[in-house]
């Protein structure tokens, strides 16, 4: 695989990744625009196939493997924020169903575009060794979708990472000179101000509650249900979300399954077994506080 594990690779292949910003498909009336997603995926598939032609590699074996498979991986940023905007709890059946529908739409649009590209420019050279050998429809790319961590791209797009839940709704950052800057999720701040319950004291209370609003009685339950952070969500529901995306994803997925410090070896075994049962191709678990210093805590 590539370093983060979201793209299983043949020898000498490289990963060619692109991202769709899901937040841009939330309409003003609170729906998800699947038609627009189809259109964007068609453009994105052609773009990513062109990236293969525009790229060069220092080793001939890499050039040959990339061009013989023409693997691409289109993923996302902003899934958690999208669910917040749609007022859907991350750990709900409605969220898992939407994830599956979104991914199915992405894959079907990408596949039809890849087939059209194959009619125009030819399928990937190894197609006769693939599941499409002898088929009427042959794609130009051996695989199309993947869901990477997308942290840098999420920062550029000013939204949440990949398919991850929000990690903290309010937090302090250490900056130069020993200063500490306080930050709050803008969507939550807007919602609290809309309900006329935002105060600086409430913001500090959220920071002291490890960035979570669970258990803070001043905040209404309907807001608490929608704004859950990674450690508010049971690890089984993290896996269910990954599995919902995997169903229509031909590459694999990077997602952190956040687990509490009390996690046991049996829990870890159960997590990997559940991921396998639900059809995930890989799994990344992280038990909080297993490192003396960690990036997020």
């Amino acid at each position: 695989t590539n370093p983060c594990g979201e793209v299983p690779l043949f020898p000498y292949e490289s990963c060619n990744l692109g991202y769709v910003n899901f937040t841009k498909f939330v309409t003003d009336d609170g729906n998800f625009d699947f038609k627009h997603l189809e259109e964007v995926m068609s453009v994105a598939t052609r773009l990513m196939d062109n990236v293969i032609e525009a790229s060069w590699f220092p080793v001939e074996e890499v050039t040959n493997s990339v061009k013989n498979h023409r693997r691409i991986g289109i993923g996302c940023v902003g899934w958690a924020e999208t669910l917040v905007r749609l007022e859907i709890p991350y750990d709900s059946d409605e969220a898992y169903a939407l994830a599956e529908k979104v991914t199915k739409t992405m894959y079907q649009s990408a596949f039809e575009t890849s087939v059209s590209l194959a009619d125009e420019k030819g399928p990937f050279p190894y197609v006769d060794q693939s599941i499409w050998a002898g088929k009427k429809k042959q794609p130009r790319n051996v695989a199309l979708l993947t869901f990477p961590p997308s942290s840098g791209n999420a920062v550029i797009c000013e939204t949440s990472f990949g398919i991850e839940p929000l990690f903290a709704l309010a937090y302090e950052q250490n900056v130069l000179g020993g200063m500490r800057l306080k930050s709050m999720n803008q969507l939550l701040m807007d919602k609290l101000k809309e309900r006329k319950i935002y105060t600086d004291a409430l913001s500090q209370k959220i920071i002291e509650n490890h960035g979570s609003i669970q258990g803070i009685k001043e905040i209404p339950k309907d807001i608490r249900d929608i704004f859950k952070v990674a450690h508010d969500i049971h690890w089984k529901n993290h896996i269910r979300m990954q599995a919902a995306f995997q169903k229509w994803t031909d590459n694999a997925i990077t997602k952190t399954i956040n687990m509490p410090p009390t996690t046991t070896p049996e829990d870890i075994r159960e997590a990997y077994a559940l991921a396998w049962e639900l059809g995930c191709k890989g799994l990344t678990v992280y038990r909080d506080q297993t490192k003396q210093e960690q990036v997020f805590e």
Side-chain angles (χ1 to χ4, degrees), residues 81-93:
E81 184 180 330
T82 297
L83 290 175
V84 168
R85 290 178 181 276
L86 294 172
E87 299 189 346
I88 300 173
Y90 187 95
D91 53 347
S92 67
D93 289 341

Side-chain angles (χ1 to χ4, degrees), residues 172-190:
E172 290 183 336
Q173 292 174 288
N174 294 317
V175 294
L176 292 174
M179 291 178 60
R180 293 177 70 82
L181 294 180
K182 295 182 180 182
S183 300
M184 177 181 275
N185 179 278
Q186 189 62 49
L187 291 174
L188 176 61
M189 184 183 288
D190 292 345

Side-chain angles (χ1 to χ4, degrees), residues 49 55-56 74 90 95 156 168 227 264 272 291:
D49 186 69
S55 299
W56 66 273
I74 301 173
Y90 187 95
I156 292 167
F227 286 91
T264 65
Y272 275 86
K291 288 181 178 290

